[in-house]
Amino acid sequence: MAPTLTHPAGVNFIDEHHRPVDSEASTYYGEGERFSRGRTYSASFAHGYNPKRPPVFQDALHQRARRMSHDEKGSAPRRFLIDVEETVRVVLEQEDTDGDFQISVTDAGPKLMALGTATSNGFKSFDIRGTYMLSNLLQELALARDHGRKRIVLDEARLTENPVDRLSRMIKNSFWNALTRRIDGDGLEIICADPKNRTGRINPRIYVPHGEPEMAEYYRKVARDKPHLNLDVQVLPPVPDDPVFVKSLNNKPGILALAMQQVNDSKGGKTLKGIPFIVPGARFNELYNWDSYFISLGLLVDGYVNMAKGMVDHFIFEIKHYGKILNGSRSYYLCRTQPPFLTDMALQIYNQLDRSDMEENRTWLKRAIQAAIKEYHTIWVAEPRMDPKTGLSRFRPDGLGIPPETEATHFTHILEPYAAKHGLSVLEFSERYNDGTIKEPELDAYFLHDRAVRESGHDTTYRFEKRCANLGTVDLQALLYKYEVDIGTAIREVFDDELDLDEDFLLTPFPATPESYADKSRWVSSKSRMQKSEEWFQRADWRKGIIDKYCWNESKALYFDYDTVQEKQSLYESVTAFWTLWAGCASEEQCWKLISQSLKKFEVLGGLASGTEESRGKISLDRPNRQWDYPYAWPPHQIMTWVGLERYGYLEDAQRLAYRWLYMMTTAFVDFNGVVPEKFDAVKLSHLVDAEYGNQGIDFKMVPREGFGWMNAAYQVGLTYLSTGMRRAVSACTSPEVFFGNYLNQQQAAQAYAAASNDPLGLAMDTLNLASPVMSPMEQSGSGFNIPDLSSH
């Protein structure tokens, strides 16, 4: 039955303040309710007379062949008068058949509901139809409820809003804000929550770096002023990343303090305040390294330059106090970093800073470049990450024991044979192995590679299985080439070809040889000489040479990782080969071969898969899917390739790939209640990923609150690649195969359908009899979007 509307007898509910239909919830729902005297039939309705027909569904036929006389007509924009709580109840009861508090194509409800119109004070009604409109209705009701509204006047245009515009708006105006964190007295309760904490202690703990007494005292004062927090304040030793010390923190994890700024307090004095930053979301509630780079690209598109700038400030702080840009800002990450993006991140932001104070901008960039130089010399081209024999850098972090941040059963299959060997349970063995009572060198080697996989950001993949710490990966070499070029360019263009370094550390020898790395007595201090652009350009040229020597495979027209122990290429085909285009270290000929011969290996319906199916190998119960392998696709790989292709002049290829990705994101958004997940199965166009810990960003009720950090960014960045016509086509959920004229033949369609037969969305489409001989099953995933002429919005 249609939702009942109740309000005081003899009055009408009115809303004369017409706000923009695309305004944010705080604006749209922020004002209170207003009433006026009502007309006779409206008042009678208020007392219980309801002329709307109840929908007929379940066992009876559910058809409305034509609009009925009670349906309101007219050309004015339609608006609905809605009782929030009652309509929420009816929508969920009627449409949410799987009970997940979302309206999606997999729900088997009638996908039709009558709403009373505002101009008739609810006497007349109009039907809203289809997954997209109903899920948007549920989202709007949740937002109205957030603002304390009992009744609302809702514009139909908010239910039929162009999905591209709606998603982009939500990312810009809602999601970034929901993902914003600060580490200070006001933000500690939120940021200290750690879904990865398995110790059972939920009271917050913060670790403050050595050498920041003012910061330590600030947090002690917070603990005194807010005793309900039970805040535990600890100061780290001068060398916080000693593996033995870091392991000792496994049972007392905590958040790591980040950069703060001095501000005026309410008493006329000074206090500290945390600099805001964006977290990835879901179970990742801290500042991450490479996530932040891609997030910053989205922030820059949306005009949040200062937010992105603050994240660089945190990275400068981390390099100074923790020795590296950390994997994440938790105690268990102190030994580990992630792929380096600081120089490009800083330069992108610098180019968008307010030009009114260029000297201040130069000072800020100087701090960032100085920090990057320190990170480069002390982490990336220092042992153990550097292999002096080849000159290749590797992901090879220090660390001891079992990574504590993983799911409780993540390593059970690895540990079981060792536990059985010692006659112990897995839990008992884990405790004794971690405390050093039991020695297992083979297991030590396994966890060395496992930590390296996590440092690579690609955790996990068969590409790195039991060998990651030995690999000079092509992606890391490309990133360091970009570091070298960026640093040289900044020194030459911004700092008049001379840059001094404030911190004292040893500069690694160049070029790298086993002999030069063996004799550290000849290494010089960072303060002994000025940095010149020529040296950094020489380093970049030299690195390009070793990339070509060790990673380029002419016969396969692709870059590969190089195993520094086995001294041969690892022939796993990875899409990160295209990072060389982003960095600019591929020649024009190499670029042409990559695009003409290798791009097709990775390009699937939804964009670029992480690797090829052949390289991944067969999947079985004993060899399950890994989330960074085929058929899964991730935002970093898409963005890096788009930028790389554009850099070399292949804009049409970049646009095609961006279209595929945005089509996949938009159809998921339309068909699954506004979902914006961490990753996708780009072959099935599904966010329902069952590899490892599943997907993130999909567990919400009624309305998506934050999306997922780098997926949000990929959407905003991807839109900058689309023409107006492409954007319209994406908003109408036009399959890339249709848009680009590459129709699947019947045999290919049948194969694609068979491959997707286990996909819940595909099964739902089949059950609902939405199949069409013209569209492939992948194209049908947008068919829950039943709004005519949407592209005209």
Side-chain angles (χ1 to χ4, degrees), residues 139 149 219 256 281 361 369-370 490 618 666 680 699 744 754:
Q139 293 172 47
R149 297 296 297 272
Y219 286 113
L256 298 173
N361 296 350
I369 296 299
Q370 287 175 328
K618 292 183 177 180
T666 304
F680 277 100
D699 186 17
L744 294 173

Coordinates of all heavy atoms in Angstrom, one line a residue, residues 139 149 219 256 281 361 369-370 490 618 666 680 699 744 754:
Q139 N 17.4 6.7 -0.4 CA 18.6 7.5 0.0 C 18.1 8.9 0.5 O 18.6 9.4 1.5 CB 19.5 7.7 -1.2 CG 20.2 6.4 -1.6 CD 21.0 6.6 -2.9 OE1 21.8 7.5 -3.1 NE2 20.8 5.7 -3.9
R149 N 13.9 15.5 9.8 CA 12.6 15.8 9.1 C 11.6 14.7 9.3 O 12.0 13.5 9.1 CB 12.9 16.1 7.7 CG 13.8 17.3 7.4 CD 13.1 18.6 7.9 NE 11.9 18.9 7.2 CZ 11.9 19.6 6.0 NH1 13.0 20.0 5.5 NH2 10.7 19.8 5.4
Y219 N 48.5 15.9 23.9 CA 47.6 14.7 24.0 C 47.5 14.3 25.5 O 46.4 13.7 25.8 CB 48.2 13.6 23.2 CG 48.0 13.8 21.7 CD1 49.1 14.0 20.8 CD2 46.7 13.8 21.2 CE1 48.9 14.3 19.5 CE2 46.5 14.1 19.8 CZ 47.6 14.3 19.0 OH 47.4 14.5 17.6
L256 N 49.2 6.6 15.1 CA 50.5 7.3 15.1 C 50.1 8.8 14.9 O 49.3 9.2 14.0 CB 51.4 6.9 14.0 CG 51.9 5.4 14.1 CD1 52.7 5.1 12.9 CD2 52.7 5.2 15.4
G281 N 38.6 4.6 3.7 CA 37.2 4.2 4.1 C 37.1 2.8 4.5 O 38.0 2.0 4.4
N361 N 54.6 29.4 -1.3 CA 54.5 28.2 -2.0 C 55.8 27.5 -2.3 O 55.9 26.3 -2.2 CB 53.8 28.5 -3.4 CG 52.4 29.0 -3.2 OD1 51.8 29.0 -2.1 ND2 51.8 29.5 -4.3
I369 N 60.1 18.5 -1.4 CA 61.2 17.9 -2.2 C 62.4 17.5 -1.3 O 63.0 16.4 -1.5 CB 61.7 18.9 -3.2 CG1 60.6 19.2 -4.2 CG2 62.9 18.4 -4.0 CD1 60.1 18.1 -5.0
Q370 N 62.7 18.2 -0.2 CA 63.7 17.8 0.7 C 63.3 16.4 1.3 O 64.2 15.6 1.5 CB 63.9 18.8 1.8 CG 64.6 20.1 1.4 CD 64.6 21.1 2.5 OE1 63.7 21.2 3.3 NE2 65.7 21.9 2.5
A490 N 62.2 20.2 -10.4 CA 61.9 21.2 -9.3 C 63.2 22.0 -9.0 O 63.1 23.2 -8.8 CB 61.4 20.4 -8.1
K618 N 45.3 -21.3 -13.3 CA 44.0 -21.9 -13.0 C 43.6 -21.7 -11.5 O 44.5 -21.7 -10.6 CB 44.0 -23.4 -13.3 CG 44.1 -23.7 -14.8 CD 44.0 -25.2 -15.0 CE 44.0 -25.5 -16.5 NZ 44.0 -27.0 -16.8
T666 N 29.2 3.5 -13.0 CA 27.8 4.1 -13.1 C 26.7 3.1 -13.0 O 25.7 3.3 -12.4 CB 27.7 5.0 -14.3 OG1 28.7 6.0 -14.3 CG2 26.4 5.8 -14.4
F680 N 36.6 -3.8 -8.5 CA 35.5 -4.5 -9.3 C 36.1 -5.8 -10.0 O 37.3 -5.9 -10.2 CB 35.1 -3.6 -10.5 CG 34.1 -2.5 -10.2 CD1 34.4 -1.2 -9.9 CD2 32.7 -2.9 -10.1 CE1 33.5 -0.3 -9.6 CE2 31.8 -1.9 -9.8 CZ 32.2 -0.6 -9.5
D699 N 29.1 -2.0 2.4 CA 28.3 -2.4 3.6 C 27.7 -1.1 4.2 O 28.3 -0.5 5.1 CB 29.1 -3.1 4.6 CG 28.3 -3.6 5.8 OD1 27.1 -3.6 5.7 OD2 28.9 -3.9 6.8
L744 N 29.2 -7.6 -29.7 CA 29.6 -9.0 -29.5 C 28.7 -9.8 -30.4 O 27.5 -9.6 -30.6 CB 29.3 -9.4 -28.1 CG 30.2 -8.8 -27.0 CD1 29.6 -9.2 -25.6 CD2 31.6 -9.2 -27.1
A754 N 27.7 -17.4 -20.1 CA 28.0 -18.6 -19.4 C 29.1 -18.3 -18.3 O 29.0 -18.8 -17.2 CB 28.5 -19.6 -20.4

